[in-house]
Amino acid sequence: MSRIELHLAAEGIALPAPAAPVAAYVPTVLAGNLLHISGQLPFGPDGVLMTGKIGSDHDLAWGQAAAERCALMLVAQMKGALGDLDRVERIVKLGAFIASTADFTDQPKVANGASEMMVRIFGEAGRHARSAVSVPVLPLDASVEIDAIVLVRP
């Protein structure tokens, strides 16, 4: 078991099974030392997709929880692509897309759910650049979608 997997177990963090693509794309592409991960949706611990708009259907806390679930799915995709999470050298960038109302302006706080989870899992290597934007709707009515770029060891 890898160092990161031991850390996950000690923290009581369970990774979901990596989600299969919902359209014509692949979940990950390794280009050189960069792993590009397609946008991941928030599946709750029960496996049900977290849907609805932040600001009308749900509050900030819901959005943060959805972003956290996206982060766990990103890590599951890393594990699936790399085999060993200890190969993760650094989380380079997250792109967070938040389905929210026009008057909701706390997208960065929603994205913090994912950012904080990456630091919780990877420590300093989990600190990253990020964008957080509002969108009117996401695939399957998901509340949040997050993609990533990860620096990996050979």
Side-chain angles (χ1 to χ4, degrees), residues 87-152:
R87 288 187 60 200
V88 172
E89 189 168 326
R90 180 171 191 119
I91 307 302
V92 177
K93 184 167 188 215
L94 297 182
F97 304 90
I98 296 97
S100 56
T101 57
D103 62 338
F104 183 83
T105 59
D106 281 334
Q107 289 80 10
K109 290 179 183 176
V110 169
N112 281 348
S115 294
E116 292 168 4
M117 180 57 73
M118 289 302 182
V119 172
R120 183 175 172 197
I121 293 171
F122 297 106
E124 282 301 308
R127 295 196 185 282
H128 52 270
R130 187 184 80 192
S131 57
V133 298
S134 176
V135 296
V137 68
L138 287 166
L140 307 176
D141 194 33
S143 296
V144 179
E145 179 176 352
I146 301 177
D147 62 15
I149 301 171
V150 179
L151 180 65
V152 300

Side-chain angles (χ1 to χ4, degrees), residues 12-118:
I13 299 171
L15 294 179
V22 298
Y25 62 91
V26 293
T28 62
V29 171
L30 184 60
N33 286 3
L34 291 177
L35 180 67
H36 297 261
I37 306 173
S38 297
Q40 299 298 302
L41 302 180
F43 290 92
D46 57 2
V48 175
L49 182 63
M50 298 173 76
T51 62
K53 280 193 182 6
I54 311 303
S56 61
D57 302 321
H58 302 290
D59 63 8
L60 173 63
W62 167 274
Q64 290 170 324
E68 184 177 288
R69 296 305 301 179
C70 289
L72 293 176
M73 188 60 74
L74 286 164
V75 176
Q77 294 291 0
M78 290 174 214
K79 169 91 172 121
L82 303 172
D84 182 355
L85 290 173
D86 285 351
R87 288 187 60 200
V88 172
E89 189 168 326
R90 180 171 191 119
I91 307 302
V92 177
K93 184 167 188 215
L94 297 182
F97 304 90
I98 296 97
S100 56
T101 57
D103 62 338
F104 183 83
T105 59
D106 281 334
Q107 289 80 10
K109 290 179 183 176
V110 169
N112 281 348
S115 294
E116 292 168 4
M117 180 57 73
M118 289 302 182

